[in-house]
Amino acid sequence: MKIHHLRNATMVIETHNKVILVDPMLGKKGTAGPSFTLFRYKPKRNPILDLPINAMEIVKKTTHCLITHVHPDHLDKEAEKFLKSKNIPVICSFKDKKTLLKRRLNITQVINYWETSEFLGGTIEGIPAVHGYGFIAKPMGAVMGVYIRLPNEKTMYISSDTIYTDDVHKVLSEYKPEISIVASGRAQLDLFQPLLMKMEDIVTFVKNSPGKVIANHLEAVNHCPITRKQLTDELSRQGLIEKTLIPEDGQVMIFN
């Protein structure tokens, strides 16, 4: 298996003859939408940097697309245009089906929470996610993590945009994924608490993960203050850096 980290939460999973595009934000710098903050962090149009040069080479090989939720930093207009032009089969949460059908995407599979269904010769299961601490989670809307088993590949948990919850803990401790992907930027709007795990919860996630952890959602949108260096320093201090991958944009990770 190859996992290509492209930018933010956008990645490509290569497995056998399948190429799975996850949470695509494919537009140029500043084209996905306005700044997510006005005063807490410096206002900048998102994304705050371009895709790596080699990104579209692998994106164009896409055979399937997995969308965990419909925020513009996980599905932008350029990604929608690409998916429609190629009529790419899209897998999404039951919560997002109606919205994505209205956008004329080719929805071929809908995932439910805690229900296992067939997926590319293996299985996929929806995992609840809570997009923020306290009040802010409700207006942020529905998000779904996924647990994936593919033939002759390591099991994978994509947490998507979530804080650390009992459901997250259940997957890590009971399902024991060999690869876990955690959104690590600690996104926060001008008001209310963070939308993603705080540093101490990222540390807990890594501690409780039985296999390798990939940290993404870093340094690509203006409301995510945690940097790769800060995360590296903290995980090193906690003795956890050896089990964590913090990829640069465009980096390819190979798992045998």
Side-chain angles (χ1 to χ4, degrees):
M1 178 191 291
K2 292 182 180 178
I3 298 179
H4 303 253
H5 171 72
L6 301 186
R7 176 180 61 186
N8 200 50
T10 305
M11 62 183 180
V12 172
I13 303 166
E14 274 193 278
T15 170
H16 307 296
N17 63 340
K18 299 296 190 293
V19 179
I20 308 161
L21 176 63
V22 180
D23 284 350
M25 179 173 60
L26 303 180
K28 295 180 180 179
K29 177 180 177 180
T31 62
S35 170
F36 289 120
T37 61
L38 294 176
F39 58 83
R40 184 184 292 276
Y41 306 116
K42 185 177 181 180
K44 293 181 182 179
R45 288 189 63 83
N46 290 299
I48 60 175
L49 77 173
D50 282 317
L51 282 169
I53 293 172
N54 64 336
M56 290 309 296
E57 292 179 18
I58 184 63
V59 169
K60 288 176 181 177
K61 298 178 183 178
T62 297
T63 61
H64 297 77
C65 180
L66 173 63
I67 298 171
T68 66
H69 62 298
V70 296
H71 289 168
D73 58 329
H74 292 252
L75 178 68
D76 65 0
K77 294 298 183 183
E78 193 63 28
E80 289 184 24
K81 180 180 175 182
F82 168 77
L83 295 172
K84 286 187 283 190
S85 71
K86 304 290 186 180
N87 200 34
I88 300 293
V90 172
I91 301 94
C92 70
S93 163
F94 73 101
K95 295 275 191 177
D96 295 327
K97 179 182 179 181
K98 185 181 293 187
T99 296
L100 295 178
L101 284 174
K102 284 182 180 179
R103 298 184 189 181
R104 295 182 290 112
L105 296 187
N106 178 24
I107 308 303
T108 59
Q109 185 170 359
V110 175
I111 312 166
N112 295 304
Y113 295 129
W114 301 122
E115 288 186 14
T116 300
S117 54
E118 293 184 2
F119 179 61
L120 304 182
T123 61
I124 189 168
E125 180 175 350
I127 308 298
V130 178
H131 201 339
Y133 294 87
F135 166 82
I136 192 61
K138 188 170 183 178
M140 290 304 293
V143 183
M144 180 178 282
V146 291
Y147 178 73
I148 301 173
R149 288 179 176 270
L150 295 174
N152 303 310
E153 300 285 19
K154 293 185 182 297
T155 56
M156 178 185 302
Y157 170 40
I158 302 173
S159 73
S160 190
D161 286 10
T162 187
I163 60 174
Y164 197 93
T165 65
D166 289 342
D167 293 323
V168 172
H169 186 77
K170 175 181 176 179
V171 175
L172 296 178
S173 60
E174 296 182 18
Y175 289 36
K176 300 187 183 303
E178 293 167 284
I179 303 168
S180 298
I181 299 161
V182 59
S184 304
R186 208 202 72 212
Q188 191 168 10
L189 305 178
D190 285 325
L191 301 174
F192 309 113
Q193 295 192 66
L195 311 176
L196 300 175
M197 292 182 204
K198 302 172 185 177
M199 184 68 86
E200 57 265 35
D201 286 334
I202 299 171
V203 169
T204 298
F205 186 102
V206 177
K207 280 182 179 177
N208 291 336
S209 297
K212 278 286 187 181
V213 175
I214 300 172
N216 68 3
H217 217 303
L218 294 162
E219 301 181 27
V221 286
N222 86 294
H223 67 322
C224 287
I226 291 179
T227 66
R228 288 178 172 90
K229 183 180 186 306
Q230 288 171 335
L231 186 57
T232 298
D233 289 347
E234 180 60 22
L235 292 175
S236 296
R237 192 177 71 82
Q238 298 281 350
L240 296 168
I241 195 62
E242 293 300 321
K243 66 186 297 190
T244 312
L245 296 167
I246 307 175
E248 297 294 331
D249 293 349
Q251 184 173 332
V252 182
M253 294 158 282
I254 300 175
F255 300 89
N256 296 318

